[in-house]
Amino acid sequence: MSSNSHVHTAAPPPDVTFAAPGLPDIRIPRSPTRTNTRGNEESSPLLVSRVEHEYGLFENNFPDDPNFQEIIREAEAAIDQGIMPERIYQGSSGSYFVKNTDMKIIGVFKPKDEEPYGLLNPKWTKWMHKICCPCCFGRNCLVPNQGYLSEAGASLVDSKLQLSIVPKTKVVRLSSETFNYTDIDRLKSRTKQSILQKVPALGKRFHRLGLPPKTGSFQLFVTDFKDADFWLRKFDHEDLPISTATRLQHLFERLVVLDYIIRNTDRGNDNWLIKYDPVSSRGSSGTDIEDGEWSLVDNPDISVAAIDNGLAFPFKHPDEWRAYPYHWAWLPQAKIPFSDEIKDLVLPQLSDMTFVEDLVDDLYELFKTDKGFDRRTFEKQMSVMRGQILNLTQALKDGKSPVQLVQMPVVTIERSKGMGGRGRTDSETFTQSFAHRAPFFSWC
């Protein structure tokens, strides 16, 4: 992702519905890129216009979050007007900057089938990885092609715990010419468009006219943020005001809480962001500010955004080739014991088993929307998360630091019941177990 700026309880996307056969003739408005001359159908866009959405093709509905829904509507309207999402060339997956009609970036969309190991990943690096090094292909502790759910799940955990560091992320469905489709999909779309133009009575009966919508995560875009590595290097040579340094420490602890709970396997200093608004370079008297004269000006404002959460929620702790450590554990902030601020924020909830199981239920509602959802695998993921929560709760109570937290023995807590399904029962029990197998490489 760009180092200058970046993003980032998803309601399950509604099922696709089809237009009734008796609908009146639908005429698709011409794209601005098309001329009135015939014979240039290949220049027409592969996407259908918004008029088709009115007849029930598909909708992204978020009735509980009208602000997010309005942003998605802006994205859809921009695509209808030919303002297509732009592929982000950094990273190992197919991800896209999504704009509104004012050409302003409003979100980042990551399609499921273009994830690092997805079938339509447009990045050749992962193809080379699969061909040249198949024994190390993928992360064996993660569910394949579930990164988009992990992104939305991290946002859900962030919201439940009121951490406020993950840009809001939900599962949506979008179509765009700039997404990576198969040649067959593009050919089918062009053929249907041609039939619609020549035989409207037949063309209007197609279940879908444009390119098929892709399911993926949509994360709201945040502005004026830079990679944490950029600012942390600067802070090494700059004394921050006490209040600003304290605020940064509290935000860092929120990042630790999030990453540890979801067991993020891909958190480096380049995929969490800091927004820092430094003070004016001159004091109120017009003289240059000297060291230690912060009292002459307002304190800087600082914020943190935790992005790139797609490689989290493993179904087991890493125990083969790589350990996937938390790279923030090497920062000086990780040596400071957890503050009372973070304890007051999350400890009451994490100590409540009812709250934890409510969180599990919310994640279940999100994860089960995936076509490849497997309940047993999900329960394993939640067993890891419960163990992480147990360790974190104990570390907060004991006044440990983030470094000491990651050194605690990893544990899983499995849920067993007297009956099937997700409902709560009086016979519900939990079994705790420790992982004894260590990965071959513990530092990467």
Side-chain angles (χ1 to χ4, degrees), residues 229-266:
D229 186 65
F230 173 85
W231 283 117
L232 293 175
R233 289 179 182 274
K234 295 198 70 172
F235 295 159
D236 286 340
H237 306 287
E238 177 181 342
D239 290 331
L240 293 176
I242 295 178
S243 60
T244 304
T246 301
R247 175 63 177 166
L248 176 60
Q249 180 66 27
H250 290 168
L251 293 172
F252 171 77
E253 292 173 355
R254 296 186 182 204
L255 176 72
V256 170
V257 167
L258 172 74
D259 280 350
Y260 195 81
I261 288 177
I262 68 177
R263 186 47 181 105
N264 196 334
T265 66
D266 187 37

Side-chain angles (χ1 to χ4, degrees), residues 395-407:
L396 291 173
K397 291 179 179 179
D398 294 344
K400 293 185 176 182
S401 66
V403 166
Q404 293 172 316
L405 169 65
V406 300
Q407 293 172 346

